[in-house]
Structures are given as C-alpha cells and as structure tokens.
Amino acid sequence: MNVHTFEIYVNISPEETRACRNAFYLSAAGQNHYCYRNKTTGILYYNRWSEHGVQVSIQKPTNGYCRKMLLRVNPSRLLGNMEATAIFAPTSSNMEALVQALDTIVQEMPISQTIHDFKLNRLDLCKNTPVNNTVLLEYIRLLEKGASCTGWKPVTYPDYRASHSFRRANERYQVTVYDKLYQITDQLLSTSWDNPFSLLRLEASLFSQGIDQQLQQFSLDRYRPWYILMDALCCHGEEIMLRLFQRLVPDAPYYTLAKAKERILWDTDFSSSKKWKLIEFLEKINRHAKVDTNSILQFKNGKKRLKQLRSIGINPVTIEARAGISYLPSLPQLVSIGFVSPADDPAE
C-alpha cells in the first residue's frame, strides 16, 4: 500500500529546544510564515522545508522533562515529485532515498539525535481510484448515510467541501474518502492529471495507538527503526485498510432499491413471505437519513433482516435512482480490486 504522509518524532531536551528555537527564528528573519508559535497550543512550527514536503514542529511537554520534535513528511514531495496526485511507493530504493533526504535535514538542526533515533508517530496509507464524477459523489453520499457511528466520530468539513469528502476518526485511526481533484482545484495545487475520470482518494491514517495495535497484530517490534516499521506496515497495508473499512461499512455491494428488490425476488431461496418482508424492511430504513447499524437495530427484526441482506450480498444503503447507476462495489472491494464498472455487476 502506498503512503500519502507520515510523522516521525524524537524527544529533545530543554537546552536543545532553546537552541532549535533560536536557530529557527534566526533563519526565518523577515519571513514570519517560516517560524511561528501557535498561541492556542503553544506548538512552535518551522516551515523552512515545507515546500519540499517537511514541516517541523516542537510541542510543549505534557509531562516529564523533554519536548517532542515532530517531522510531518510528504515523501513524494520530499523526493522531488511535486505532482499533487502523487503518492509514495515504499520500494527499497525509495525508502533509502527518503531516509537520506531526511537525514540531511536533521543534520542541519542543533540536536544530538540522528534520523535513526526518530520514532513513527503517524502513517497515512492511501490508494487512488479513478472513477467518473457521478460515481464519486454517490460513494460520498452512501458513506455519509451508512457508515457506523459506533466507536467513530464524524469529522466535518466546511459546507463547500462536505459533499466531496467523508471522514470518520477515533483515538487510533482515521478514515478519509474524498475527491482529490476537487481538493486540488480548491487549494490551487499543481497537477498534470489529464484523464476523463475523477480521482477518489481512499486513506487510512494510523495514529500512534493505532500503529502500536497494528505492530502487535503482526508481531512487529516497536523498537525497530521507524523506516523498517513503516515499510512493514505498508506491506500489510491492504489488510489494515480492509479491516478499518469493514468496521465502518458493510462489505456488500450497493444497489438501487429497484435492483435490490429484483435480486431479493429472483436470486434468493427465501420464502415469498420472507422476501416481501425483507423488501419492506429495505424500503423503510432507506427513508431515513442514516442507515448505520445502530439505527437498523432499532427496527423490528432489524438484526435478523441485516443478517439476511449480508447473506445475499446486498448493502442496506441503496443508490439513488437519479444517479443512473444500478450497482457499485463496496468500499472494501475498492481496496482490493480497484474500481469496477457499474456494468460489471457480478449478480448479472
């Protein structure tokens, strides 16, 4: 799995903090955006290398003696790829070049630590999926309507981006699905994208606790170098992303209500009575703004009906008829197989 951004950190002493602060402000003389302190959080930001994909920050200590120096890295940009749609492929040569580029930056800072002393703090796994614009917007709507609220909190965007972005987060992870080309246009970023399709970006962010959980899951030693752990997690990236997406949404294809009814009537061995009860249930829940697991279970026989839908591969959230699409793969399917044309309905 490829990478969009990642964060690494190292603890530095108060003396090193003062030396860094003085050096940062001195090099940023006359360019206030290069070095500034957030008045609310107290975090010091240094943006000398931001155009090359690296932002440095020093956080106030929450406890103990040391401060945390954090490097937020866009690896594609650091290695010279300024294309806004680019994502980093963690090949052995790319990883070696990445470590060397970051080592050059760290050597310019007045700290005793080297790049090898840093630890992995966050990792954003991602995948680009070309789709047509109608499909992209329908995916965002389907996710907003049907994503689980259990253990996840919605992260809202400004109104003008809300219909182009979906995000849920908890203490360990964050899942984001969004219109990458819309973001590029909105933020006036540079791209050479010349393709009739839009670009659906799928991202799974591992925060520090999430990294720990995944390292434990795959029996990986947390104390190995950050770049070794990053490479290992990327090797398991598809499995990680699949599990996170399956916690959020049912792993079953989306259909229009009409197509779902047709499948229930003609492609199942249920009794006639059971078929019509399932259709009635599907019609009823899709009149509601949210069709997450919690809301479904509030309906009579909700758990039973949800299990029946899963057994025949129908997502409880249905595609709007006006979208002109009868079928879409589930979000987890997109991770594994990429975009499947709406005409490629496996039920046909």
Side-chain angles (χ1 to χ4, degrees):
M1 188 63 65
N2 295 328
V3 174
H4 178 245
T5 54
F6 66 92
E7 293 176 353
I8 54 176
Y9 77 94
V10 71
N11 291 322
I12 60 175
S13 68
E15 292 76 19
E16 289 173 317
T17 300
R18 285 192 292 271
C20 286
R21 183 182 63 232
N22 293 339
F24 292 169
Y25 276 117
L26 182 63
S27 70
Q31 302 179 83
N32 293 337
H33 64 285
Y34 262 29
C35 187
Y36 62 91
R37 185 181 299 278
N38 184 298
K39 294 181 180 179
T40 302
T41 64
I43 298 174
L44 178 70
Y45 292 97
Y46 185 52
N47 292 320
R48 174 184 168 188
W49 298 285
S50 60
E51 292 183 1
H52 300 286
V54 180
Q55 183 186 62
V56 182
S57 63
I58 300 178
Q59 301 180 8
K60 294 179 66 176
T62 54
N63 53 54
Y65 176 75
C66 295
R67 275 70 167 172
K68 177 186 284 188
M69 172 180 282
L70 191 74
L71 305 186
R72 182 169 178 80
V73 183
N74 181 322
S76 293
R77 186 171 288 268
L78 179 59
L79 296 186
N81 189 347
M82 300 301 174
E83 165 61 44
T85 63
I87 47 181
F88 176 77
T91 63
S92 56
S93 58
N94 281 350
M95 289 297 293
E96 183 178 351
L98 176 66
V99 173
Q100 289 178 352
L102 286 170
D103 188 44
T104 299
I105 289 175
V106 171
Q107 286 182 20
E108 293 191 38
M109 294 188 284
I111 60 175
S112 59
Q113 295 83 351
T114 72
I115 191 61
H116 306 286
D117 297 315
F118 281 71
K119 295 179 176 62
L120 191 60
N121 186 69
R122 171 173 171 161
L123 180 63
D124 293 356
L125 302 169
C126 70
K127 181 173 185 176
N128 286 334
T129 310
V131 297
N132 73 51
N133 194 58
T134 301
V135 167
L136 187 152
L137 295 177
E138 187 61 12
Y139 265 121
I140 300 298
R141 189 194 69 82
L142 290 166
L143 293 173
E144 286 289 352
K145 184 170 183 175
S148 172
C149 295
T150 304
W152 298 86
K153 293 182 179 179
V155 180
T156 57
Y157 287 88
D159 291 341
Y160 67 92
R161 285 186 59 190
S163 61
H164 295 264
S165 307
F166 164 85
R167 176 172 283 175
R168 294 289 186 273
N170 57 35
E171 291 183 350
R172 294 177 175 178
Y173 305 104
Q174 179 174 275
V175 168
T176 310
V177 180
Y178 65 102
D179 183 343
K180 183 62 180 179
L181 299 185
Y182 184 88
Q183 181 207 34
I184 289 171
T185 301
D186 179 57
Q187 298 182 6
L188 303 177
L189 302 176
S190 174
T191 183
S192 58
W193 179 264
D194 184 17
N195 191 306
F197 289 104
S198 296
L199 196 58
L200 187 67
R201 172 69 65 83
L202 312 178
E203 287 186 6
S205 302
L206 282 60
F207 301 146
S208 182
Q209 291 183 39
I211 290 171
D212 288 340
Q213 185 178 53
Q214 295 302 324
L215 293 177
Q216 184 176 12
Q217 171 75 27
F218 297 110
S219 301
L220 298 170
D221 184 357
R222 185 63 159 112
Y223 296 99
R224 298 188 72 186
W226 64 266
Y227 41 87
I228 300 295
L229 297 180
M230 176 174 158
D231 183 57
L233 289 170
C234 287
C235 288
H236 294 287
E238 182 173 313
E239 183 179 347
I240 293 170
M241 189 177 279
L242 278 172
R243 285 205 305 265
L244 292 182
F245 286 2
Q246 287 165 352
R247 293 180 192 176
L248 271 175
V249 291
D251 189 5
Y254 297 101
Y255 294 92
T256 59
L257 187 57
K259 182 65 176 178
K261 290 179 183 179
E262 182 182 321
R263 284 211 57 208
I264 292 169
L265 287 173
W266 301 108
D267 297 339
T268 69
D269 296 326
F270 297 153
S271 67
S272 177
S273 173
K274 184 182 290 186
K275 288 178 180 181
W276 285 109
K277 285 180 180 178
L278 188 55
I279 288 173
E280 181 183 5
F281 171 77
L282 199 57
E283 290 176 331
K284 187 180 296 183
I285 64 174
N286 273 279
R287 296 191 193 107
H288 291 250
K290 300 291 291 184
V291 192
D292 65 342
T293 304
N294 286 343
S295 63
I296 290 176
L297 296 181
Q298 293 175 11
F299 287 87
K300 183 179 179 180
N301 295 320
K303 185 175 182 179
K304 177 181 177 181
R305 301 296 177 221
L306 185 59
K307 185 176 180 180
Q308 290 170 344
L309 288 172
R310 286 174 176 167
S311 71
I312 57 178
I314 294 178
N315 200 299
V317 186
T318 58
I319 301 170
E320 287 192 337
R322 63 183 179 183
I325 306 163
S326 62
Y327 160 86
L328 287 173
S330 69
L331 189 62
Q333 282 179 298
L334 284 183
V335 177
S336 299
I337 62 177
F339 176 66
V340 177
S341 167
D344 293 337
D345 180 356
E348 293 290 354

